[in-house]
Amino acid sequence: MKLTTRALVTPFAALLMTATTLTGCAQAGGSSGKGAADGLAAPAKKDIAMQLVSSAENSTLDWKAQYGYIEDIGDGRGYTGGIIGFCSGTGDMLRVVERYAKSRPGNALERFLPALRKVKGSDAHTGLGSPFARAWAEAAKDAKFREAQDAERDASYFDPAVRQAKRDGLGTLGQFAYYDAYVMHGEADADGTTGFRTIRSQALDAARTPADGGDETAYLDAFLDARVDAIREEPSHSDTSRVETAQRVFLDEGNLDLDPPLAWKVYGDSYEIKSS
């Protein structure tokens, strides 16, 4: 979990990536958006969600190439790595490595567990450094490591975000808006950041959820407004394009089902997912 603008990739990070080129941690209305029972959890929609997040986190739609990504982006959260930017400073990177150690005992990352526990809550690299970064990148070749990242993403971010969105009566776009907020801000507030719970609370001050009889578009507008405010409060990050020229575009188009074709911009770069 983190806030990140990863438009530039350091030479060191480029050497560590397991994929080709990279081009984000923290703690009455109703619509056709509720048409599909699975919503964002449907495989095709989940893949769209991952592409959207990757456009903001890695400046590419190729999210499956990001398992080996790792670098310190200077946001105060230590190392950022993997498919949604797990961070050494926030503890989710530690949980990924713990999951990996359970499924692949003796792997090359396991020896860094004590160091990851010590640096949690800080931006320190103590006991990690380039040996850890190289081991992380190398581990991305192992399906067990990729599964550990997938499992941590789902347990800490995707599943709770989608559950809450469904409880609020939101369709696929709203579920994605919640998920992206979880990824970037985490669930709860941390020092200097505003978490998902507060963002949602601020949205509820301005509009009712569809589950409470409110209009879905009006509520999502309020949620995105609160999200933009949260991004602007973050000392190291102020670019709101992942909301204003992406999610807000889909909302203004009335695309509450998040159906392709989709066209959006993040950090000035243009992206497109075509119809299947």
Side-chain angles (χ1 to χ4, degrees):
M1 176 277 296
K2 76 286 147 223
L3 289 162
T4 175
T5 302
R6 202 178 298 156
L8 297 176
V9 178
T10 65
F12 176 66
L15 290 172
L16 292 174
M17 283 182 247
T18 60
T20 53
T21 307
L22 280 184
T23 41
C25 292
Q27 286 229 352
S31 72
S32 60
K34 289 170 255 178
D38 288 339
L40 200 67
K45 292 297 173 72
K46 189 171 186 178
D47 186 69
I48 287 174
M50 291 302 296
Q51 291 184 68
L52 289 168
V53 168
S54 187
S55 72
E57 299 292 328
N58 301 94
S59 297
T60 177
L61 299 186
D62 189 6
W63 68 269
K64 294 180 181 178
Q66 309 312 317
Y67 289 99
Y69 167 80
I70 186 166
E71 68 173 321
D72 188 328
I73 61 173
D75 64 352
R77 295 171 174 85
Y79 283 111
T80 293
I83 54 173
I84 61 168
F86 305 105
C87 294
S88 59
T90 61
D92 52 0
M93 182 173 279
L94 167 62
R95 294 193 297 271
V96 168
V97 178
E98 287 175 335
R99 289 178 183 275
Y100 185 36
K102 288 180 180 179
S103 63
R104 184 79 74 195
N107 71 74
L109 283 172
E110 190 171 1
R111 69 184 180 94
F112 295 101
L113 282 171
L116 284 169
R117 294 182 181 115
K118 288 181 179 179
V119 302
K120 181 180 176 181
S122 76
D123 62 356
H125 293 185
T126 309
L128 299 173
S130 56
F132 171 71
R134 285 193 296 268
W136 178 280
E138 183 68 19
K141 299 175 183 177
D142 185 353
K144 293 292 186 182
F145 182 59
R146 299 193 296 271
E147 289 169 4
Q149 290 195 35
D150 292 345
E152 181 58 27
R153 171 203 61 200
D154 290 348
S156 293
Y157 302 102
F158 189 87
D159 290 349
V162 171
R163 278 197 303 269
Q164 182 60 63
K166 288 184 175 182
R167 284 196 293 266
D168 287 343
L170 299 176
T172 306
L173 175 59
Q175 292 165 32
F176 174 72
Y178 276 24
Y179 170 55
D180 191 59
Y182 256 84
V183 168
M184 189 173 189
H185 305 279
E187 181 190 16
D189 298 349
D191 290 343
T193 68
T194 300
F196 168 81
R197 286 188 309 202
T198 295
I199 294 170
R200 178 176 174 271
S201 177
Q202 292 170 344
L204 289 171
D205 288 340
R208 289 181 297 166
T209 66
D212 196 32
D215 177 79
E216 185 169 13
T217 297
Y219 172 75
L220 286 177
D221 243 337
F223 181 83
L224 295 183
D225 285 346
R227 174 85 191 279
V228 166
D229 289 344
I231 294 172
R232 287 175 175 163
E233 289 172 4
E234 170 68 18
S236 301
H237 306 86
S238 60
D239 189 299
T240 61
S241 59
R242 70 192 287 161
V243 174
E244 299 289 41
T245 56
Q247 295 169 52
R248 187 89 71 181
V249 171
F250 309 145
L251 183 62
D252 290 346
E253 292 171 346
N255 191 354
L256 297 175
D257 287 331
L258 200 60
D259 286 332
L262 299 167
W264 72 98
K265 292 183 179 180
V266 182
Y267 311 134
D269 296 327
S270 297
Y271 301 93
E272 181 182 9
I273 296 176
K274 297 180 180 179
S275 298
S276 54

